[in-house]
Amino acid sequence: MYERVYIFDTTLRDGEQSPGINLNVQEKLEIAAQLERLGVDAIEAGFPVASKGDFEAVKAIAQNIRKPIIVGLARAVEKDIERAWEALKYAARPRIHTFIATSDIHMEYKLKMTPNQVLKRVHETVSFAKSLCPDVEFSAEDGSRTRPEFLFEVIKTAIKAGATAINIPDTVGYGTPQEFGGLIRSIRENVEGIDNIILSVHCHNDLGMAVPNSLSAIQNGANQIECTINGLGERAGNAALEEIVMALKTRKDFYGCETGIVTEEIYRTSRLVSHLTGIHIQPNKAITGANAFAHESGIHQHGMLSNRETYEIMTPESVGLRQSQMVLGKHSGRHAFEEKLEEMGYIHLDADKINQAFEKFKDLADKKKHIMDSDIEALVNEKVIQVPAVYDLEYFHISSGNSTIATSTVQMKTEDEIIQEAACGDGPIDATFKAIDRAAGIEVELKDYYLRAVTSGKDALGEVTVKIGRNGDVFVGRGISTDVIEASARAYVNAINKMLYESEME
Ligand code: KIV
Ligand code: ZN
């Protein structure tokens, strides 16, 4: 029997705290549904007291996602805990996660509390959370820099008050694998009652050691890992779920434990999160980077042809990565398209989304001879979640060159009018964005612009991601087309629509 390690995903809470990420309720629900398919044991859905949007997202996830435990974060104060419970009470398996800092530096300078006051607060708030919800997790923030003797006291207090899981965060990513593992072992050895509850860790990646620290914690007795898809999270991020899971799977001989993750769903989850957050994955990232399974050198290719295991320690298929295959062409019908979607694992799309994706596919087939898996993936992702559009881009026209001032004319449609505007700019994309601003009558800051080719070849689909900012909030838009200016304009209009939709919801 292998030891079972629980996977607690905090992409929607700690991950969402990454700079430049702002997911709306629909997007969070879509990610939560995918995390459920991925087989995570717990989803930390948000921090309900933080904002109305966070509250609504946790509530919607609690109402709709039934298999995993749904967790809501709360500081160790009654009003946070109450608010978390209000959102979580709909869940099939709710868990309140409450935390307070326990290191000397945090207690003295941030909390301005003595250790005894902190102990008292732990007792009061964990007891209060327990009176609302049978499953309560307690985190000792900055646990890795807490004096071990005091940490033991804190944990004992939380267990006595009814905690069902204790989490030790390496909040500032300071730990090293040996030292952090040693801390976890000392908790197992010194805290009575710890064996009857879950012992969890939550590692940040400031020194690039979040994954090794988490794995070392497992070797030393942790049985829950808090982690995020693509390693998103505060500052340098959290431990990457896909790296931990694949390390445990590939080196089961060494670690001797397993998770409940359906590893074939890893790639799709990673792409969905990247798509919705607008945070791109570096090509050489372990497990999900574009080059993770690419073998460039002749020696490697030769070895692979003789026996894949010469250079491949896990298969691309095991993380859900399929070779991009030529799939369909302009004569393919709707039935073939649907079959292809099913084969690619898109079994949850409703008829509306399939129709929209099919229409896009037909448009694309007129422009591009061979349509690949990755084209279909981009089309579907574009159609997965669309907020109701205030503006539709009808057409654009540009005039540009290396010795003329770029100008762009756009026509946009709303429910009751058609608006035309023109503008000059530093190049055709800038001019188009300015013309769109004018047509929409708004001013936003362009915070990020990213263009990638979905496949290779001159007729490749271009996928543009833009981030626009207004009043401190960031909105991500995405557009695809074989024409990069059109993809850019669509991405920009999409970001504006999202911004308008969010302000309406507030
Ligand atoms: O990093 C941290 O300490 C946290 C806690 C709230 C668990 O995110
Ligand atoms: Zn954290």
Side-chain angles (χ1 to χ4, degrees):
M1 252 303 265
Y2 289 103
E3 200 71 30
R4 174 76 154 78
V5 173
Y6 298 109
I7 297 296
F8 174 118
D9 180 277
T10 182
T11 307
L12 296 174
R13 200 278 297 169
D14 213 320
E16 222 249 349
Q17 287 171 220
S18 307
I21 296 187
N22 178 20
L23 297 167
N24 62 36
V25 175
Q26 256 183 300
E27 292 168 332
K28 286 186 184 176
L29 248 180
E30 191 68 33
I31 291 177
Q34 180 56 31
L35 289 172
E36 185 177 40
R37 283 189 283 275
L38 179 66
V40 303
D41 298 288
I43 296 176
E44 187 160 51
F47 191 179
V49 84
S51 69
K52 186 164 175 286
D54 245 44
F55 178 86
E56 292 302 334
V58 177
K59 184 172 157 187
I61 292 170
Q63 285 171 327
N64 289 289
I65 306 295
R66 310 310 284 172
K67 243 164 88 187
I69 296 169
I70 306 299
V71 187
L73 186 68
R75 285 168 302 183
V77 286
E78 280 202 8
K79 86 165 174 12
D80 280 34
I81 294 171
E82 253 162 0
R83 190 79 175 138
W85 179 240
E86 258 180 71
L88 287 170
K89 64 185 178 199
Y90 307 91
R93 302 171 68 199
R95 177 185 291 176
I96 296 176
H97 177 192
T98 185
F99 72 99
I100 192 165
T102 52
S103 63
D104 286 343
I105 184 168
H106 276 232
M107 289 191 291
E108 185 177 346
Y109 294 100
K110 187 179 84 170
L111 299 175
K112 303 196 188 324
M113 287 170 79
T114 65
N116 277 339
Q117 286 171 324
V118 168
L119 281 176
K120 186 162 172 281
R121 179 73 72 81
V122 171
H123 182 77
E124 287 165 358
T125 51
V126 173
S127 308
F128 178 60
K130 187 78 178 183
S131 73
L132 302 173
C133 179
D135 191 0
V136 176
E137 173 166 327
F138 170 76
S139 280
E141 190 190 5
D142 207 17
S144 59
R145 292 195 302 168
T146 298
R147 280 178 289 109
E149 289 304 322
F150 182 60
L151 186 61
F152 302 155
E153 277 306 297
V154 170
I155 298 172
K156 281 180 200 160
T157 306
I159 294 176
K160 266 202 196 121
T164 41
I166 294 291
N167 180 42
I168 310 299
D170 183 20
T171 302
V172 290
Y174 183 73
T176 67
Q178 258 189 331
E179 184 189 54
F180 191 62
L183 178 65
I184 299 306
R185 180 177 297 265
S186 73
I187 292 171
R188 279 260 176 245
E189 287 166 356
N190 289 285
V191 178
E192 206 185 310
I194 196 76
D195 292 338
N196 306 323
I197 63 165
I198 289 172
L199 179 54
S200 169
V201 296
H202 172 116
C203 297
H204 278 271
N205 203 30
D206 299 66
L207 293 172
M209 291 195 275
V211 169
N213 283 341
S214 305
L215 291 170
S216 169
I218 291 172
Q219 288 179 285
N220 285 283
N223 59 352
Q224 176 179 283
I225 299 296
E226 299 197 358
C227 45
T228 57
I229 300 296
N230 300 337
L232 295 179
E234 282 270 15
R235 306 182 309 280
N238 289 69
L241 179 149
E242 59 279 6
E243 294 177 22
I244 289 171
V245 167
M246 289 314 288
L248 294 179
K249 181 170 175 159
T250 309
R251 299 305 313 274
K252 201 166 170 175
D253 61 317
F254 181 77
Y255 289 109
C257 49
E258 61 190 7
T259 69
I261 295 295
V262 180
T263 60
E264 291 77 9
E265 289 290 332
I266 283 179
Y267 185 71
R268 187 196 317 285
T269 316
S270 165
R271 293 303 300 256
L272 179 72
V273 169
S274 168
H275 170 79
L276 294 177
T277 57
I279 306 277
H280 300 283
I281 302 164
Q282 76 196 56
N284 60 328
K285 157 124 183 24
I287 316 296
T288 48
N291 296 347
F293 293 93
H295 298 272
E296 197 67 24
S297 90
I299 297 175
H300 285 209
Q301 285 170 356
H302 178 74
M304 289 280 289
L305 285 175
S306 312
N307 179 345
R308 293 190 76 84
E309 284 178 26
T310 48
Y311 286 102
E312 196 170 79
I313 58 167
M314 56 196 155
T315 64
E317 292 78 16
S318 67
V319 300
L321 180 66
R322 302 147 35 96
Q323 293 308 319
S324 196
Q325 291 160 0
M326 191 188 88
V327 286
L328 301 165
K330 98 187 213 183
H331 300 297
S332 312
R334 198 196 141 99
H335 186 66
F337 181 72
E338 262 187 70
E339 266 186 3
K340 189 72 216 172
L341 289 182
E342 227 179 280
E343 186 197 314
M344 288 174 73
Y346 291 111
I347 43 179
H348 58 286
L349 297 177
D350 59 35
D352 222 33
K353 281 178 186 158
I354 296 178
N355 282 342
Q356 290 173 9
F358 183 63
E359 266 174 43
K360 280 261 173 190
F361 158 73
K362 279 298 196 188
D363 287 348
L364 180 62
D366 280 337
K367 298 178 190 155
K368 191 171 189 285
K369 198 163 165 211
H370 302 306
I371 298 192
M372 319 289 275
D373 277 359
S374 34
D375 293 318
I376 303 273
E377 186 189 280
L379 289 182
V380 173
N381 274 348
E382 205 203 12
K383 287 288 152 215
V384 162
I385 300 155
Q386 284 292 13
V387 296
V390 175
Y391 293 104
D392 267 328
L393 180 71
E394 291 260 285
Y395 80 75
F396 70 95
H397 174 86
I398 50 158
S399 153
S400 174
N402 64 353
S403 59
T404 52
I405 294 175
T407 56
S408 176
T409 310
V410 301
Q411 180 167 300
M412 301 218 288
K413 195 175 82 177
T414 68
E415 220 170 57
D416 33 43
E417 60 177 333
I418 288 185
I419 316 162
Q420 247 180 3
E421 276 295 349
C424 303
D426 297 330
I429 292 174
D430 185 46
T432 303
F433 287 180
K434 285 190 173 130
I436 292 171
D437 283 349
R438 280 193 186 159
I442 49 169
E443 238 177 77
V444 294
E445 186 192 346
L446 179 66
K447 289 196 152 300
D448 198 13
Y449 174 93
Y450 181 85
L451 165 67
R452 85 175 176 108
V454 173
T455 49
S456 55
K458 284 187 183 153
D459 60 353
L461 263 186
E463 182 182 58
V464 171
T465 309
V466 297
K467 285 190 183 175
I468 58 171
R470 196 168 68 165
N471 304 332
D473 287 327
V474 175
F475 304 90
V476 181
R478 192 168 298 233
I480 53 173
S481 170
T482 45
D483 174 328
V484 293
I485 307 208
E486 182 181 347
S488 307
R490 294 206 176 283
Y492 197 69
V493 173
N494 179 230
I496 289 176
N497 280 331
K498 276 192 182 170
M499 186 181 81
L500 297 174
Y501 176 74
E502 295 271 302
S503 4
E504 219 174 81
M505 301 301 281
E506 271 164 17

